[in-house]
Amino acid sequence: MKKVVLAFSGGLDTSFCCIYLSRDLGMEVHSVIVNTGGFSEEELKNVEKRAYDLGVKSHTTIDETEDYYQDTIKYLIFGNVLKNATYPLSVSAERVSQATAIANYAKSISAECVAHGSTGAGNDQVRFDMIFQTLIPGVEIITPIRDLQLSREDEIEYLNKHGVEYSAEKAKYSINKGLWGTSVGGAETLTSNKYLPESAWPTPLTSTEPQKITIDFEKGQPVALNGNKLGPVKVIQELQALAQPYGIGRDIHVGDTIIGIKGRVGFEAAGPIILIKAHHTLEKHTLTKWQLSWKDQLAAFYGNYMHEGQMHDPVMRDMEAFLQSSQETVSGRVFVELHPHRFVILGIESEHDLMSNKFGSYGEMNKGYTGDDVKGFSKIFGNQTIIWHKVNHKD
């Protein structure tokens, strides 16, 4: 009997895989759930119970929350990464972390096979396949949902036939929660013109009174919320709990999948969106023009390559080294005000603030140079353009 490690979440797709792998293929199923900060202890116990009810040989929970932050999220903050200027890569980054942890687990128990519940239409199939092929090249990859081309209705019917109750209503929305935000997929996101209804969002809008908060950063990392030193993971979690009830960070991302088709996904990510915007504001005060320019270019590539599951390419380590180096002076406090469906970055305080009145005030006075200095600089700075116009007889 072949031993297979199944990436398991307890949802429809992976529940189908449990039954199919054991009963139809006769395999010994070892389910694994990788917690990247999206599950409570009670939820993890429920997932474990479900796995055993579905007949797995063993079930393991791997907590990757801290590693997920250190290996992935940290650099998304450093780079202010929002794919297509919208999406904080809530699921993309998480899948890379999960696939890596599952590959390492499969290796540790000498599994002959590894399985995941990805369909043939999305990004996850590529991310999981590619990372498994890289880290555990001799292990067979099994993908029942993709290979059998099953619809959600087909899966529900199959499970019901095997005595596992699963209702169509329960499967109406696909929700994936992690440290870096929650994704929401449903009938509306399969269209180009429909928005998710209020009932589809996991966190209802309950906070309506404006609230001022502060976020402290040390070398680019969020370390305190409202003056309380918590560490980065706790800051993200507590900020999310505080801001998500305002309905902040809800949006629908439209993007290009790895396999070349367009896709839409809803997400709520108040904590990530606020942190990225707060961090970016602090950087605009503490970094030079060319630091910001090169960061923007590298971070865009870094985010896109991570989205495509390429975290094990050594070029990612090279870019992380640059991003880490760029954060040396990105320390200070950012002031934020929360409102229903929006937030305002009020300003920053930092000993590294380059907007210092020691050197002048923009639009008013300068202290480090004279008017004559500017006149000469302007003439030299525009010299080549002036020559081009004279040579080519332009007025």
Side-chain angles (χ1 to χ4, degrees):
M1 185 180 288
K2 282 188 176 180
K3 185 187 295 185
V4 58
V5 167
L6 171 64
F8 186 74
S9 67
L12 175 61
D13 295 332
T14 56
S15 294
F16 172 90
C17 290
C18 267
I19 301 293
Y20 178 79
L21 291 168
S22 60
R23 298 190 190 179
D24 288 27
L25 300 188
M27 306 186 83
E28 182 181 288
V29 181
H30 298 265
S31 60
V32 179
I33 184 168
V34 181
N35 181 23
T36 50
F39 293 94
S40 66
E41 285 298 319
E42 183 180 358
E43 288 169 332
L44 289 170
K45 286 178 182 176
N46 289 337
V47 170
E48 180 178 18
K49 181 180 183 304
R50 181 167 184 80
Y52 282 115
D53 287 345
L54 290 167
V56 302
K57 178 74 172 177
S58 74
H59 177 81
T60 302
T61 298
I62 301 174
D63 191 338
E64 280 290 297
T65 307
E66 188 64 38
D67 287 341
Y68 178 36
Y69 171 79
Q70 292 294 342
D71 297 342
T72 308
I73 292 175
K74 179 171 70 176
Y75 299 105
L76 296 179
I77 296 173
F78 291 172
N80 308 309
V81 175
L82 291 174
K83 186 167 176 59
N84 291 2
T86 304
Y87 180 48
L89 297 183
S90 303
V91 175
S92 319
E94 183 179 70
R95 291 294 184 259
V96 169
S97 179
Q98 290 170 331
T100 300
I102 290 164
N104 290 333
Y105 180 75
K107 190 187 300 182
S108 74
I109 67 167
S110 303
E112 295 103 320
C113 308
V114 64
H116 60 87
S118 302
T119 70
N123 292 317
D124 286 346
Q125 59 178 327
V126 178
R127 295 173 184 134
F128 277 99
D129 283 5
M130 191 164 49
I131 289 173
F132 292 160
Q133 289 162 4
T134 301
L135 300 183
I136 44 174
V139 176
E140 180 186 355
I141 301 169
I142 303 173
T143 54
I145 310 299
R146 175 174 63 185
D147 296 344
L148 297 172
Q149 297 184 328
L150 298 173
S151 67
R152 295 176 75 78
E153 291 74 20
D154 293 333
E155 294 175 59
I156 292 169
E157 183 181 351
Y158 176 91
L159 287 174
N160 290 342
K161 280 182 179 178
H162 283 81
V164 180
E165 291 187 12
Y166 210 104
S167 68
E169 184 62 30
K170 185 177 180 181
K172 188 173 182 181
Y173 291 101
S174 175
I175 294 173
N176 185 91
K177 184 180 180 183
L179 180 64
W180 204 232
T182 302
S183 69
V184 185
E188 294 85 1
T189 57
L190 298 177
T191 73
S192 295
N193 65 332
K194 292 181 181 177
Y195 197 74
L196 289 165
E198 184 65 27
S199 60
W201 298 107
T203 309
L205 175 62
T206 55
S207 297
T208 56
E209 289 297 316
Q211 181 178 177
K212 290 182 179 179
I213 64 171
T214 62
I215 304 168
D216 293 356
F217 291 86
E218 288 181 5
K219 296 187 176 182
Q221 299 194 63
V223 295
L225 180 65
N226 291 331
N228 299 317
K229 282 255 186 181
L230 300 169
V233 169
K234 280 290 185 184
V235 168
I236 294 168
Q237 291 172 330
E238 296 207 7
L239 177 59
Q240 181 76 353
L242 184 68
Q244 200 61 66
Y246 281 91
I248 294 169
R250 292 180 178 181
D251 207 341
I252 290 185
H253 167 58
V254 183
D256 297 289
T257 65
I258 304 169
I259 57 176
I261 60 176
K262 295 284 186 182
R264 290 176 94 216
V265 64
F267 66 91
E268 58 171 41
I273 295 293
I274 292 170
L275 281 173
I276 285 173
K277 293 297 185 181
H279 174 266
H280 192 204
T281 300
L282 183 59
E283 280 194 328
K284 287 189 284 187
H285 280 264
T286 58
L287 297 185
T288 66
K289 174 174 68 175
W290 292 114
Q291 281 180 301
L292 291 167
S293 176
W294 278 106
K295 273 190 75 270
D296 286 347
Q297 295 173 65
L298 282 178
F301 181 91
Y302 185 86
N304 284 331
Y305 220 36
M306 178 187 289
H307 170 74
E308 295 178 355
Q310 292 281 11
M311 275 299 283
H312 294 283
D313 188 315
V315 73
M316 301 297 273
R317 308 292 83 76
D318 299 333
M319 287 186 285
E320 286 165 1
F322 174 89
L323 291 171
Q324 181 84 52
S325 174
S326 73
Q327 300 302 294
E328 193 63 30
T329 61
V330 186
S331 298
R333 172 167 289 182
V334 183
F335 300 87
V336 185
E337 189 168 68
L338 308 180
H339 298 265
H341 296 298
R342 68 184 180 91
F343 64 96
V344 181
I345 304 293
L346 302 174
I348 69 104
E349 285 180 354
S350 172
E351 64 180 31
H352 302 287
D353 190 356
L354 299 179
M355 191 175 162
S356 171
N357 59 16
K358 293 178 183 176
F359 308 105
S361 300
Y362 177 69
E364 295 181 12
M365 291 187 66
N366 64 71
K367 297 178 182 178
Y369 50 88
T370 68
D372 286 339
D373 291 335
V374 177
K375 290 175 187 177
F377 168 76
S378 301
K379 182 174 287 188
I380 298 301
F381 191 57
N383 197 31
Q384 190 169 81
T385 304
I386 293 167
I387 292 171
W388 186 92
H389 279 264
K390 287 181 177 178
V391 168
N392 293 285
H393 311 293
K394 302 291 184 182
D395 292 334

